[in-house]
Amino acid sequence: MTSVSEEEHGTPAARTKVSVIDDDPMICQAMRLVLTDYSGGRLEVTSTSTDGATAVEHARRELPDVVLMDIAMPGMDGIETTRALRALPHPPHVLILTSLSPGGTVERAVEAGAEGFISKTDAPEDIIRRVMGVCREAPQFNTASQRQLIGDLSTQRFRSRRDEARALLDSLPEREREAVVLAAEGLTNAEIAARMFISERTAKAHLSSAGARLAMGRVQMARLVERADLPPRS
């Protein structure tokens, strides 16, 4: 594997200070070796920590440029620790050191102030490039983190549309809502009337009233029910 050169165009570069946080001391040691041995002197690991509170205290004293942050830690997890680090008077850049699970990790970490992600299995040169890149204010998202972020946003959008549809259905009177749901299942007016123990004329009236309230036709209301993804009826 190649290392990142200490000099670019013959001009020595200042060392970038890095702090590593992981609840596994072996991971901390491995990352220290990677950052030290493959950076050509460009990176200096100022400290390693196995918990969030200690990491924040180290950052207060050492003023690291970049923190590599694990997510799953006892007590203050990586998301909360990231938020605390970014609130310091001299906040470091934070790169999440993670396997990117469970779902929602990327979105939550970005909201807390993280600027990118590094997999613990990334090649050393890739890890170093991301550390140096974030110091140039360039977000560092590897393929896995980009894929998860897109997935999280898609799930969030689905939930938002589902909740909106459910709210619209819940705005209807109970009997009208029941008629709309039955119609969405493909029942005719006569079948809806039989299921609800009402006349066919009343079933039609319920659907007509619901359509007026929602400003939708029968097909649109069926799609609304589909989007609401209602739980199975008991």
Side-chain angles (χ1 to χ4, degrees), residues 34-57:
V34 166
L35 296 171
T36 301
D37 292 352
Y38 289 87
S39 69
R42 293 294 303 274
L43 304 180
E44 173 190 0
V45 178
T46 56
S47 65
T48 63
S49 309
T50 56
D51 65 271
T54 302
V56 174
E57 287 307 309

Short mmCIF file of all heavy atoms in Angstrom, two decimals, residues 34-57:
data_model
loop_
_atom_site.label_atom_id
_atom_site.label_comp_id
_atom_site.label_asym_id
_atom_site.label_seq_id
_atom_site.Cartn_x
_atom_site.Cartn_y
_atom_site.Cartn_z
N VAL A 34 -2.36 2.92 11.61
CA VAL A 34 -2.69 3.30 10.22
C VAL A 34 -2.37 4.77 9.98
O VAL A 34 -1.70 5.13 9.00
CB VAL A 34 -4.17 3.00 9.92
CG1 VAL A 34 -4.59 3.69 8.61
CG2 VAL A 34 -4.41 1.51 9.80
N LEU A 35 -2.86 5.62 10.85
CA LEU A 35 -2.70 7.06 10.66
C LEU A 35 -1.24 7.49 10.77
O LEU A 35 -0.80 8.42 10.07
CB LEU A 35 -3.54 7.81 11.69
CG LEU A 35 -5.05 7.61 11.57
CD1 LEU A 35 -5.76 8.23 12.76
CD2 LEU A 35 -5.58 8.20 10.28
N THR A 36 -0.50 6.80 11.61
CA THR A 36 0.91 7.17 11.80
C THR A 36 1.81 6.59 10.70
O THR A 36 2.63 7.29 10.12
CB THR A 36 1.40 6.66 13.18
OG1 THR A 36 0.61 7.24 14.21
CG2 THR A 36 2.87 7.05 13.39
N ASP A 37 1.61 5.31 10.41
CA ASP A 37 2.54 4.62 9.50
C ASP A 37 2.31 4.94 8.03
O ASP A 37 3.23 4.82 7.22
CB ASP A 37 2.43 3.10 9.70
CG ASP A 37 2.95 2.66 11.06
OD1 ASP A 37 3.53 3.50 11.77
OD2 ASP A 37 2.77 1.47 11.40
N TYR A 38 1.08 5.30 7.64
CA TYR A 38 0.78 5.49 6.23
C TYR A 38 0.61 6.95 5.82
O TYR A 38 0.30 7.25 4.68
CB TYR A 38 -0.49 4.72 5.86
CG TYR A 38 -0.31 3.23 5.83
CD1 TYR A 38 -0.47 2.48 6.98
CD2 TYR A 38 0.04 2.57 4.65
CE1 TYR A 38 -0.29 1.11 6.97
CE2 TYR A 38 0.21 1.19 4.63
CZ TYR A 38 0.05 0.47 5.79
OH TYR A 38 0.23 -0.89 5.79
N SER A 39 0.82 7.87 6.76
CA SER A 39 0.56 9.27 6.43
C SER A 39 1.81 10.04 6.05
O SER A 39 1.74 11.22 5.73
CB SER A 39 -0.12 9.98 7.60
OG SER A 39 0.79 10.11 8.70
N GLY A 40 2.95 9.40 6.09
CA GLY A 40 4.18 10.09 5.72
C GLY A 40 4.46 11.28 6.61
O GLY A 40 5.05 12.27 6.15
N GLY A 41 4.06 11.20 7.87
CA GLY A 41 4.32 12.29 8.80
C GLY A 41 3.31 13.42 8.76
O GLY A 41 3.44 14.40 9.50
N ARG A 42 2.28 13.29 7.92
CA ARG A 42 1.29 14.36 7.81
C ARG A 42 0.31 14.37 8.98
O ARG A 42 -0.28 15.41 9.30
CB ARG A 42 0.50 14.22 6.51
CG ARG A 42 1.33 14.46 5.25
CD ARG A 42 1.82 15.89 5.14
NE ARG A 42 0.71 16.82 5.17
CZ ARG A 42 0.01 17.19 4.10
NH1 ARG A 42 0.28 16.67 2.93
NH2 ARG A 42 -0.97 18.06 4.22
N LEU A 43 0.10 13.21 9.61
CA LEU A 43 -0.88 13.10 10.67
C LEU A 43 -0.22 12.77 12.00
O LEU A 43 0.75 12.01 12.06
CB LEU A 43 -1.92 12.03 10.36
CG LEU A 43 -2.68 12.17 9.03
CD1 LEU A 43 -3.68 11.02 8.89
CD2 LEU A 43 -3.40 13.51 8.95
N GLU A 44 -0.77 13.33 13.07
CA GLU A 44 -0.30 13.04 14.43
C GLU A 44 -1.50 12.65 15.28
O GLU A 44 -2.47 13.41 15.40
CB GLU A 44 0.36 14.29 15.04
CG GLU A 44 0.72 14.12 16.51
CD GLU A 44 1.15 15.42 17.15
OE1 GLU A 44 1.17 16.46 16.44
OE2 GLU A 44 1.45 15.40 18.35
N VAL A 45 -1.47 11.44 15.85
CA VAL A 45 -2.55 11.00 16.73
C VAL A 45 -2.25 11.53 18.13
O VAL A 45 -1.32 11.08 18.79
CB VAL A 45 -2.67 9.46 16.74
CG1 VAL A 45 -3.76 9.03 17.71
CG2 VAL A 45 -2.97 8.95 15.34
N THR A 46 -3.04 12.49 18.57
CA THR A 46 -2.79 13.14 19.85
C THR A 46 -3.29 12.31 21.02
O THR A 46 -2.75 12.40 22.13
CB THR A 46 -3.46 14.52 19.90
OG1 THR A 46 -4.86 14.38 19.64
CG2 THR A 46 -2.85 15.45 18.85
N SER A 47 -4.35 11.50 20.80
CA SER A 47 -4.89 10.68 21.88
C SER A 47 -5.87 9.67 21.32
O SER A 47 -6.37 9.82 20.20
CB SER A 47 -5.59 11.54 22.94
OG SER A 47 -6.73 12.17 22.38
N THR A 48 -6.15 8.64 22.11
CA THR A 48 -7.24 7.72 21.83
C THR A 48 -8.10 7.64 23.08
O THR A 48 -7.61 7.82 24.19
CB THR A 48 -6.74 6.31 21.45
OG1 THR A 48 -6.04 5.74 22.56
CG2 THR A 48 -5.84 6.36 20.24
N SER A 49 -9.41 7.38 22.89
CA SER A 49 -10.34 7.28 24.02
C SER A 49 -11.30 6.13 23.77
O SER A 49 -11.59 5.79 22.62
CB SER A 49 -11.14 8.57 24.18
OG SER A 49 -10.29 9.71 24.21
N THR A 50 -11.79 5.55 24.85
CA THR A 50 -12.75 4.45 24.72
C THR A 50 -14.14 4.85 25.18
O THR A 50 -15.04 4.01 25.26
CB THR A 50 -12.28 3.23 25.53
OG1 THR A 50 -12.05 3.61 26.89
CG2 THR A 50 -10.99 2.65 24.94
N ASP A 51 -14.34 6.13 25.51
CA ASP A 51 -15.68 6.61 25.88
C ASP A 51 -15.81 8.07 25.50
O ASP A 51 -14.81 8.79 25.35
CB ASP A 51 -15.95 6.41 27.38
CG ASP A 51 -15.04 7.27 28.24
OD1 ASP A 51 -13.94 6.80 28.59
OD2 ASP A 51 -15.43 8.42 28.56
N GLY A 52 -17.06 8.53 25.36
CA GLY A 52 -17.32 9.87 24.87
C GLY A 52 -16.88 10.97 25.80
O GLY A 52 -16.32 11.98 25.36
N ALA A 53 -17.10 10.81 27.10
CA ALA A 53 -16.75 11.87 28.05
C ALA A 53 -15.25 12.14 28.04
O ALA A 53 -14.82 13.30 28.03
CB ALA A 53 -17.22 11.47 29.45
N THR A 54 -14.45 11.09 28.01
CA THR A 54 -13.00 11.25 27.96
C THR A 54 -12.58 11.91 26.66
O THR A 54 -11.68 12.77 26.63
CB THR A 54 -12.30 9.89 28.10
OG1 THR A 54 -12.69 9.28 29.33
CG2 THR A 54 -10.78 10.04 28.07
N ALA A 55 -13.23 11.54 25.58
CA ALA A 55 -12.92 12.13 24.27
C ALA A 55 -13.14 13.64 24.27
O ALA A 55 -12.33 14.40 23.73
CB ALA A 55 -13.77 11.47 23.19
N VAL A 56 -14.22 14.07 24.87
CA VAL A 56 -14.51 15.51 24.91
C VAL A 56 -13.46 16.24 25.74
O VAL A 56 -13.00 17.33 25.36
CB VAL A 56 -15.93 15.76 25.49
CG1 VAL A 56 -16.17 17.24 25.68
CG2 VAL A 56 -16.99 15.16 24.56
N GLU A 57 -13.04 15.65 26.86
CA GLU A 57 -12.00 16.29 27.69
C GLU A 57 -10.67 16.36 26.95
O GLU A 57 -9.96 17.37 27.02
CB GLU A 57 -11.84 15.52 29.00
CG GLU A 57 -12.98 15.71 29.97
CD GLU A 57 -13.26 17.20 30.23
OE1 GLU A 57 -12.30 17.94 30.56
OE2 GLU A 57 -14.42 17.62 30.08
#
